Amino acid sequence: MTSTEQPIRIGIIGAGGIVKTRHMPGLRAIPGVQITQVTNRSVASAEAFCREFAPEAKAVARWEELASSDEVDVVWIGTHPYMHAEMTCYALQHGKHVFTQARMAASVPGANQMWEASIRYPELVTAICPAPHGMKGGELVKRLLAEGAIGTPHQLLLHSFNDAWLDPQAPAHWRQLSDLSGIQILTLGIYTEVLQHWLGHIVEVEARGNVVIPERAGVEVDIPDFVNVMAKFRSGIEATMLFSGVAAHAPTDKLWIFGSEGTLSYDFNTDDLQLGKRGGKLESVEIPTEMQRSWTVERDFIAAVRNPSAPRPRPDFGEGMNYMRVVHAVWEAMESQAAVKVR
């Protein structure tokens, strides 16, 4: 183990599917990373996780105990959004670096608390799990737009449809319940994060949405099953963004950006990037290997913890605030049925 690979002790709060399938393989691949403590919905489930994924760790009953433990350097939060703000602020106050699962928080005030706490403790590394959508070709998309490959962009269309919530007999998913998910709606926050990274800030929205199946097994659903959003970017680009969890035979998640000299499209399921000049055909563009960004989330976070001069992982809490404000504005626009400025 080199001097830059000093042991990093991680405490996991919320050991669900995303932690098991995505984060644990990444963490296990980093020399010197140790999982020391785990807390979950119950001690029994935390113990089961430890047996399967981290036999060196111990299960603890209370997340506060983990987040203040002398045996933990990094608090890795995998819980639902409604717990992120309280856990993050508590962990930072106790000197822990914090990685939190997306979406950032249940509300803008909660996200703001996290952001302000990260500013108060600049020596501690904080980050939100990034959206993997468009990760492979995003840098090429930005370069093509900057080079004027489609002239001046003026309009975009995004659709993100699936039928995951179409069965009325299926139990309510936690993402459909505001008590757990807060203001998050479908993949709205994910694609807002991606598009603002590529195209700049959204400054105004209009929106209509609806709950198609209002009750599931006696549980009231209060997050829309679909939402249609009209958005304006600071650059002047006008966007139509359509999201649905009740669309049978839905097309793939896809983006089109229309400009004065052509069109750029991106298929988020296949990472197929296509470019067409005015009067010509859309044709696939190969993404150069050196521009392809792969999943290095865990490695990047640990590198920043070990080395204060290393790049800070992204998205940071400031970038999280940017998409949280847009999601909040969408709710305001649905309620008022009028255009709402993003504040």
Side-chain angles (χ1 to χ4, degrees):
M1 188 180 301
T2 69
S3 60
T4 60
E5 294 177 344
Q6 68 268 27
I8 300 295
R9 302 167 301 172
I10 294 179
I12 296 174
I13 305 177
I18 188 70
V19 171
K20 295 174 182 177
T21 61
R22 190 177 286 274
H23 297 311
M24 283 302 294
L27 291 170
R28 283 303 194 204
I30 305 170
V33 167
Q34 304 167 359
I35 311 301
T36 56
Q37 296 185 11
V38 177
T39 186
N40 210 14
R41 290 183 179 179
S42 67
V43 173
S45 64
E47 289 173 341
F49 176 89
C50 292
R51 284 194 297 271
E52 183 174 358
F53 296 95
E56 76 277 21
K58 68 178 180 180
V60 297
R62 299 174 61 248
W63 67 262
E64 294 93 339
E65 176 186 348
L66 180 151
S68 59
S69 172
D70 291 338
E71 299 176 0
V72 170
D73 304 309
V74 174
V75 172
W76 203 276
I77 300 173
T79 62
H80 301 329
Y82 80 104
M83 302 185 75
H84 292 180
E86 182 181 6
M87 291 176 172
T88 294
C89 294
Y90 187 90
L92 289 173
Q93 290 166 8
H94 286 82
K96 312 304 181 186
H97 306 280
V98 176
F99 179 94
T100 184
Q101 186 51 234
R103 298 288 88 207
M104 182 179 184
S107 67
V108 167
N112 194 62
Q113 291 172 7
M114 296 167 66
W115 181 42
E116 290 179 347
S118 71
I119 294 172
R120 288 197 300 273
Y121 302 99
E123 73 281 7
L124 298 175
V125 179
T126 55
I128 309 165
C129 187
H133 305 63
M135 186 175 283
K136 181 177 180 179
E139 294 307 308
L140 180 56
V141 170
K142 290 196 295 182
R143 190 183 78 178
L144 290 171
L145 293 172
E147 293 174 348
I150 61 171
T152 302
H154 54 256
Q155 185 180 12
L156 71 81
L157 170 64
L158 168 76
H159 58 60
S160 175
F161 294 161
N162 63 68
D163 64 355
W165 297 348
L166 191 56
D167 180 3
Q169 304 306 315
H173 191 278
W174 68 264
R175 294 184 185 277
Q176 296 176 285
L177 306 175
S178 61
D179 286 350
L180 301 180
S181 193
I183 64 172
Q184 308 303 331
I185 307 172
L186 295 157
T187 53
L188 170 63
I190 292 171
Y191 283 114
T192 297
E193 175 189 332
V194 172
L195 293 183
Q196 290 194 137
H197 182 57
W198 292 358
L199 299 165
H201 289 175
I202 293 171
V203 296
E204 184 177 286
V205 298
E206 299 177 54
R208 298 290 294 269
N210 195 20
V211 178
V212 177
I213 304 168
E215 184 177 311
R216 294 178 179 273
V219 176
E220 182 180 349
V221 173
D222 52 6
I223 293 179
D225 290 317
F226 70 83
V227 63
N228 303 323
V229 179
M230 302 283 286
K232 178 183 289 186
F233 286 79
R234 180 168 288 123
S235 64
I237 296 173
E238 297 275 356
T240 301
M241 303 188 295
L242 310 175
F243 305 89
S244 178
V246 287
H249 312 294
T252 184
D253 283 20
K254 196 165 185 177
L255 168 71
W256 289 264
I257 305 174
F258 304 101
S260 58
E261 299 299 324
T263 299
L264 185 153
S265 73
Y266 197 97
D267 187 315
F268 290 99
N269 288 37
T270 64
D271 289 303
D272 181 29
L273 191 163
Q274 295 190 328
L275 177 66
K277 297 295 186 178
R278 180 159 47 91
K281 295 181 179 179
L282 276 173
E283 297 182 345
S284 294
V285 177
E286 185 176 354
I287 303 170
T289 302
E290 65 273 14
M291 296 192 73
Q292 295 179 19
R293 184 182 168 201
S294 58
W295 184 269
T296 57
V297 172
E298 298 80 16
R299 186 185 72 193
D300 295 344
F301 189 88
I302 299 302
V305 170
R306 282 178 166 152
N307 181 4
S309 64
R312 287 294 181 107
R314 299 179 63 185
D316 59 26
F317 286 179
E319 291 168 305
M321 283 296 300
N322 289 336
Y323 71 67
M324 288 293 297
R325 292 187 182 110
V326 174
V327 176
H328 179 77
V330 167
W331 277 98
E332 288 189 325
M334 285 192 294
E335 291 171 0
S336 66
Q337 297 191 21
V340 171
K341 300 289 186 182
V342 177
R343 300 184 297 276

